[in-house]
Structures are given as structure tokens and as C-alpha cells.
Amino acid sequence: MKMNTNTKLMAFVAFLGFATFGYSQSTVDVGKGGTEIKVIDNKGTIKYFQSNNGITQIVNSTTDKTTTTWQLGGTLTADTYIDASGKLFALDGIALETGLASTNAVPGEKTKPTIPATSIVGTGWTLLVRDEATGTTKKMQADNLITGILFEDVRTVNTDGTIVVPIPVAGLPLLNANTEAKLFVFRNGAKLRIGTDFEVVTLGEVQIKTGLPMYIGDVIEVQYLK
């Protein structure tokens, strides 16, 4: 029986498809350690895929091997940045913190919930901040963000208001337009006015201005919020 041209062509195409299918198949076996899968492609090239907090692909052992790593979680092996320029970056599903702020956190503190409590250094919670110079994310104790100074000075001498009376306050910075509202000075419970009754023109010192007599037993209370 003779086959017509169309029948011959269809048979030839089917043969090519079968041959191509058989040629393109890859064999897979698990490499040593159980974490790597060795793949042999249709050219006989050996590739390794490793899935352990990511995927690593290595083409043979030649000098021009290709390595592709994808990682989420685990220990970082290089500086890592997420560029959110022009895009929205958000984290959903974050639990609200209801515990106490940390007072004993240390750099490098382990916070994985799977680690036994005995190996965790520090308690409570800290805040994450960004170092603008390097972009590095760091943590900070809450009292380093919002803390304050409370100082009381009890006068031991009388002054007639003709001289400036300095009140030294450790840690008090020089004030500017943005920090003036953080400072409160009271005399015997009455609030004094900045610029009118007192000034801060020297680091670590409140100066009671002239025109305000001071007497023995007067209590000057200084409150400053950092």
C-alpha cells in the first residue's frame, strides 16, 4: 500500500516530535546531604538546585558557572537593600505590641520565638530606626526616643535681681526654635516664661534673667523632654 504525501508528512512530523520529546527529557537525582537536587538537562549539563531559605543554581563547575540565589529569612550573607522608590512598601498582619518597653536590650539580641528563652538576652520591646547615612536598620530602646530631665535647685542665697542666676542642669542642650517647647522651668510651682524670665544660652545651664529676685528656700524645678 502506498502512502500519499500528506500521510507521509504527518508521520514525519510525529516522528520528529517524539524524538524531540525523548531528547529533551531531564533526569533528576538527589545529591549528597539531601538538600541539593542534581538536574541533567538535554545537553548533558549538570546543574544543582538547593532549597534552603532560598534557591541556588550552579551550572557545572566551570569558571563561568551561573549562580542564582533567592533568600527570605535566615542569615544574610551580604548587604541587603529593598528599593521602594516609586512603589508602596508595607507589612500587613503585624501584631500590636502590648508589653513593656525594653530596659536591657543589647546589640545582636536574638528574638526568634523558636529560640529557648534562656538564650534570649534582653526583655521587652525596642524600636527600629534607620541610619540615614548608611540606610542601616538599627534598634533603639524606647527611653532613648522619649526621655527627660527632672532637676530641682533649692536656693541657698538671696539675689536682688540685678545679676543673672545660673542653674546647672546636667544633660540640658542648647535650645532652638524646635526644642524650646520641650523645656519647662518653675519657681515655687509657678511657670516661668522663656526669654522673659530665663534663657538657655550655655550648654547644661538655665539662666534666670535679671529683674527676677531670688530668695533662700526658693525651689527652681527644671523639666526637659528629649
Side-chain angles (χ1 to χ4, degrees), residues 71-95:
Q71 175 175 314
L72 182 62
T75 302
L76 296 179
T77 58
D79 294 342
T80 304
Y81 292 88
I82 297 177
D83 187 352
S85 300
K87 299 293 187 296
L88 177 64
F89 178 76
L91 297 175
D92 293 334
I94 303 299

Side-chain angles (χ1 to χ4, degrees), residues 69-138:
T69 300
W70 175 82
Q71 175 175 314
L72 182 62
T75 302
L76 296 179
T77 58
D79 294 342
T80 304
Y81 292 88
I82 297 177
D83 187 352
S85 300
K87 299 293 187 296
L88 177 64
F89 178 76
L91 297 175
D92 293 334
I94 303 299
L96 293 176
E97 177 57 63
T98 58
L100 298 176
S102 177
T103 58
N104 56 358
V106 297
E109 176 183 350
K110 297 181 181 298
T111 56
K112 293 181 181 179
T114 56
I115 295 179
T118 54
S119 67
I120 298 178
V121 179
T123 59
W125 52 267
T126 54
L127 302 170
L128 292 183
V129 295
R130 183 178 189 270
D131 186 332
E132 288 298 313
T134 63
T136 305
T137 300
K138 299 180 180 179

Side-chain angles (χ1 to χ4, degrees), residues 151-155 167 185-188 192 206 208 214 218-222:
F151 177 79
E152 286 189 356
D153 175 83
V154 180
R155 303 309 301 166
I167 311 276
V185 178
F186 302 86
R187 178 193 180 196
N188 299 324
L192 301 182
V206 170
I208 306 299
M214 304 288 289
D218 280 352
V219 177
I220 303 298
E221 181 180 315
V222 179

